[in-house]
Amino acid sequence: MQITITSKHMLTVLYWLSWIILTGLCVDAGSFIFNGIYTTTFNPAAADYFKLSELYHFDAGHYLVQLTFMTIVGCMKALMFYLIVMILHDKKLDLSRPFTPETGRFISNLSYLCFGAGLFSDWGSKYALWLSSKNITMPDSQALQLGGADVWLFSGVLLLVIAQIFRKGIELQHESDLTI
């Protein structure tokens, strides 16, 4: 007996995998927000959770800026997977007619979020390097969850190109629908 994996099966697996990833990314983004509030209002020792206690003791403002970069990137990643979950949940991804305005908007929004995550990852990494040059011990960009800025930027530009192709496909499909 041969098992055939259909597009519907694959989309179901991707839907549940996206939910799992979304949950993890929301926990990450929430931990940045919670830690920033908790550290600044209740317990400065909590800054050690992200290995930023030396930065916090040097200047709480720099700590909050670094944590803001981490939070923005974390929220953008979570938003990307939220968009994926929503398009799969609402069943707006029709593989028999892929060139729909919803799919075009989805790809465009995904490209903007990817590009934004790349920009903020890069800025956050450069900010951490600048702080390191001030003789403050800083974790590397991977530990700050700001690594891979080049990959995010590349993915954002690539998705932007795909979004333009989809925009043209939507126009052609709309013209085709009108001629029938």
Side-chain angles (χ1 to χ4, degrees), residues 18-19 21-30 70-86 110 113 117 152:
S18 296
W19 259 114
I21 294 170
L22 173 63
T23 304
L25 290 172
C26 286
V27 168
D28 272 353
M70 295 163 60
T71 302
I72 290 170
V73 171
C75 287
M76 286 185 162
K77 290 177 186 177
L79 271 172
M80 281 186 262
F81 275 89
Y82 175 76
L83 290 176
I84 292 169
V85 165
M86 289 314 297
L110 211 58
L113 286 169
W152 287 111

Coordinates of all heavy atoms in Angstrom, one line a residue, residues 18-19 21-30 70-86 110 113 117 152:
S18 N 3.1 25.5 12.2 CA 3.1 27.0 12.4 C 2.5 27.4 13.7 O 3.0 28.4 14.4 CB 2.3 27.7 11.3 OG 2.9 27.4 10.0
W19 N 1.5 26.7 14.2 CA 0.9 27.0 15.5 C 2.0 26.8 16.6 O 2.1 27.6 17.6 CB -0.3 26.1 15.8 CG -1.6 26.8 15.6 CD1 -2.5 26.5 14.7 CD2 -2.1 27.9 16.4 NE1 -3.6 27.3 14.8 CE2 -3.4 28.2 15.9 CE3 -1.7 28.6 17.5 CZ2 -4.2 29.2 16.4 CZ3 -2.5 29.7 18.0 CH2 -3.7 29.9 17.4
I21 N 5.3 26.9 16.3 CA 6.3 27.9 16.2 C 5.8 29.2 16.7 O 6.5 30.0 17.4 CB 6.8 28.0 14.8 CG1 7.6 26.7 14.4 CG2 7.7 29.2 14.6 CD1 7.9 26.6 12.9
L22 N 4.5 29.6 16.4 CA 3.9 30.8 16.8 C 3.9 30.9 18.3 O 4.2 31.9 18.9 CB 2.5 30.9 16.2 CG 1.7 32.1 16.8 CD1 2.3 33.5 16.4 CD2 0.3 32.1 16.3
T23 N 3.5 29.8 19.0 CA 3.5 29.7 20.4 C 4.8 30.0 21.0 O 5.0 30.8 22.0 CB 2.9 28.3 20.9 OG1 1.7 28.1 20.3 CG2 2.8 28.3 22.4
G24 N 5.9 29.3 20.5 CA 7.2 29.6 21.0 C 7.7 31.0 20.8 O 8.3 31.6 21.7
L25 N 7.4 31.6 19.6 CA 7.8 33.0 19.4 C 7.0 34.0 20.2 O 7.6 35.0 20.7 CB 7.5 33.3 17.9 CG 8.5 32.6 16.9 CD1 8.1 32.8 15.5 CD2 9.9 33.0 17.1
C26 N 5.8 33.7 20.5 CA 5.0 34.5 21.4 C 5.6 34.5 22.9 O 5.6 35.5 23.5 CB 3.5 34.2 21.4 SG 2.6 34.7 20.0
V27 N 6.0 33.3 23.3 CA 6.6 33.2 24.6 C 7.9 34.0 24.6 O 8.2 34.7 25.6 CB 6.8 31.7 24.9 CG1 7.7 31.5 26.1 CG2 5.5 31.0 25.2
D28 N 8.7 33.9 23.6 CA 10.0 34.6 23.5 C 9.7 36.1 23.6 O 10.3 36.8 24.4 CB 10.7 34.3 22.2 CG 11.6 33.2 22.3 OD1 11.8 32.6 23.4 OD2 12.2 32.8 21.2
A29 N 8.8 36.6 22.7 CA 8.5 38.1 22.7 C 7.9 38.5 24.1 O 8.3 39.6 24.6 CB 7.5 38.4 21.6
G30 N 7.1 37.7 24.6 CA 6.5 38.0 25.9 C 7.5 38.0 27.0 O 7.5 38.8 28.0
M70 N 15.3 43.6 20.9 CA 15.0 42.2 21.0 C 13.5 41.9 20.9 O 13.0 41.0 20.2 CB 15.6 41.6 22.2 CG 17.1 41.6 22.3 SD 17.9 41.4 23.9 CE 17.3 39.9 24.4
T71 N 12.8 42.8 21.6 CA 11.3 42.7 21.6 C 10.7 42.9 20.2 O 9.8 42.2 19.7 CB 10.7 43.7 22.6 OG1 11.2 43.4 23.9 CG2 9.2 43.6 22.6
I72 N 11.2 44.0 19.5 CA 10.6 44.3 18.2 C 10.9 43.1 17.2 O 10.0 42.7 16.5 CB 11.3 45.6 17.6 CG1 10.7 46.8 18.4 CG2 11.0 45.8 16.1 CD1 11.4 48.1 18.1
V73 N 12.1 42.6 17.2 CA 12.4 41.5 16.4 C 11.5 40.2 16.7 O 11.0 39.6 15.9 CB 13.9 41.1 16.4 CG1 14.2 39.8 15.7 CG2 14.7 42.3 15.8
G74 N 11.4 40.0 18.0 CA 10.6 38.8 18.5 C 9.1 39.0 18.1 O 8.5 38.0 17.6
C75 N 8.6 40.2 18.2 CA 7.2 40.5 17.8 C 7.0 40.3 16.3 O 6.0 39.8 15.8 CB 6.8 41.8 18.3 SG 6.5 41.9 20.1
M76 N 8.0 40.8 15.5 CA 7.9 40.7 14.1 C 7.9 39.2 13.6 O 7.1 38.8 12.8 CB 9.0 41.5 13.4 CG 8.8 42.9 13.4 SD 10.0 43.8 12.5 CE 9.2 45.3 12.2
K77 N 8.7 38.4 14.3 CA 8.8 37.0 13.9 C 7.4 36.3 14.3 O 6.9 35.5 13.5 CB 9.9 36.3 14.7 CG 11.3 36.7 14.2 CD 12.3 36.0 15.1 CE 13.7 36.4 14.8 NZ 14.7 35.7 15.8
A78 N 6.9 36.7 15.5 CA 5.6 36.1 15.9 C 4.5 36.5 14.9 O 3.6 35.7 14.6 CB 5.3 36.5 17.3
L79 N 4.5 37.8 14.5 CA 3.5 38.3 13.6 C 3.6 37.5 12.2 O 2.5 37.3 11.6 CB 3.7 39.8 13.3 CG 3.0 40.7 14.3 CD1 3.4 42.2 14.0 CD2 1.5 40.6 14.1
M80 N 4.8 37.2 11.8 CA 4.9 36.4 10.5 C 4.2 35.1 10.7 O 3.4 34.7 9.8 CB 6.4 36.2 10.2 CG 7.1 37.4 9.6 SD 8.7 37.0 9.0 CE 9.7 37.6 10.4
F81 N 4.4 34.4 11.8 CA 3.8 33.1 11.9 C 2.3 33.3 12.2 O 1.5 32.4 11.9 CB 4.5 32.3 13.0 CG 5.6 31.5 12.3 CD1 6.9 32.1 12.3 CD2 5.5 30.3 11.7 CE1 7.9 31.5 11.6 CE2 6.5 29.6 11.1 CZ 7.7 30.2 11.1
Y82 N 1.9 34.4 12.8 CA 0.5 34.6 13.0 C -0.2 34.8 11.6 O -1.3 34.2 11.4 CB 0.3 35.9 13.8 CG -1.2 36.3 13.9 CD1 -2.1 35.6 14.8 CD2 -1.7 37.3 13.2 CE1 -3.4 35.9 14.9 CE2 -3.1 37.7 13.3 CZ -3.9 37.0 14.1 OH -5.2 37.3 14.2
L83 N 0.4 35.5 10.7 CA -0.1 35.6 9.4 C -0.2 34.3 8.7 O -1.2 34.0 8.0 CB 0.7 36.6 8.5 CG 0.7 38.0 8.9 CD1 1.6 38.8 8.0 CD2 -0.7 38.6 8.8
I84 N 0.8 33.4 8.9 CA 0.8 32.1 8.3 C -0.4 31.3 8.8 O -1.1 30.6 8.1 CB 2.1 31.4 8.5 CG1 3.2 32.1 7.6 CG2 2.0 29.9 8.1 CD1 4.6 31.6 8.0
V85 N -0.5 31.3 10.2 CA -1.6 30.5 10.8 C -2.9 31.0 10.3 O -3.8 30.2 10.0 CB -1.5 30.6 12.4 CG1 -2.7 30.2 13.0 CG2 -0.3 29.8 12.8
M86 N -3.1 32.3 10.2 CA -4.4 32.9 9.9 C -4.8 32.5 8.4 O -5.9 32.2 8.1 CB -4.4 34.4 10.1 CG -4.5 34.8 11.5 SD -5.6 33.9 12.6 CE -7.2 34.3 11.8
L110 N 4.2 39.6 4.7 CA 5.3 38.8 5.1 C 6.6 39.3 4.7 O 7.6 39.3 5.5 CB 5.1 37.4 4.5 CG 5.6 36.2 5.3 CD1 4.9 36.1 6.7 CD2 5.3 34.9 4.6
L113 N 7.5 42.3 7.0 CA 7.9 41.9 8.3 C 9.3 41.3 8.3 O 10.0 41.5 9.3 CB 6.8 40.9 8.9 CG 5.5 41.5 9.4 CD1 4.5 40.4 9.6 CD2 5.7 42.4 10.6
A117 N 12.3 42.7 10.4 CA 13.1 41.9 11.3 C 14.5 42.0 11.0 O 15.4 42.0 11.9 CB 12.5 40.5 11.3
W152 N 17.3 37.5 7.2 CA 16.0 38.2 7.2 C 15.9 39.2 6.1 O 14.9 39.3 5.5 CB 15.8 38.8 8.6 CG 15.5 37.8 9.7 CD1 16.3 37.6 10.7 CD2 14.3 37.0 9.8 NE1 15.7 36.6 11.5 CE2 14.5 36.2 11.0 CE3 13.2 36.8 9.1 CZ2 13.6 35.3 11.4 CZ3 12.3 35.9 9.5 CH2 12.4 35.2 10.7

